Amino acid sequence: MDSDVYVIDLMLPGNIKVEKLKVLSAESDDYDVVIGMDIMTLGDFCLSNKDGKTCFSFRLPSKEHIILAD
């Protein structure tokens, strides 16, 4: 299957800009964007799902390991 490829700049929380990413176009009702390990490993990526609401934070450069416990 062929897919359209685009080069984009991606803006992340904290006004972080990741430039010149090669991305594929896909049709989906389930999601707007998929963030892969190529982005996550650039800095500190944190994902939470409190009360069924998923959100994430990202910081660049990486500062420390994020380990939270109750």
Side-chain angles (χ1 to χ4, degrees):
M1 175 169 79
D2 292 333
S3 295
D4 293 330
V5 178
Y6 300 93
V7 177
I8 67 165
D9 293 341
L10 179 66
M11 293 299 297
L12 297 170
N15 206 30
I16 296 170
K17 185 179 186 179
V18 182
E19 297 179 324
K20 299 179 182 172
L21 291 172
K22 287 185 181 178
V23 298
L24 299 176
S25 174
E27 295 291 327
S28 175
D29 293 331
D30 296 327
Y31 54 84
D32 295 321
V33 65
V34 174
I35 298 175
M37 291 302 293
D38 57 334
I39 302 299
M40 292 182 209
T41 58
L42 293 175
D44 294 330
F45 182 92
C46 184
L47 180 71
S48 64
N49 192 40
K50 174 75 170 132
D51 297 325
K53 182 178 178 184
T54 303
C55 64
F56 74 94
S57 62
F58 186 77
R59 68 180 170 202
L60 185 68
S62 178
K63 294 185 179 179
E64 61 188 324
H65 290 280
I66 301 171
I67 301 172
L68 303 174
D70 283 344

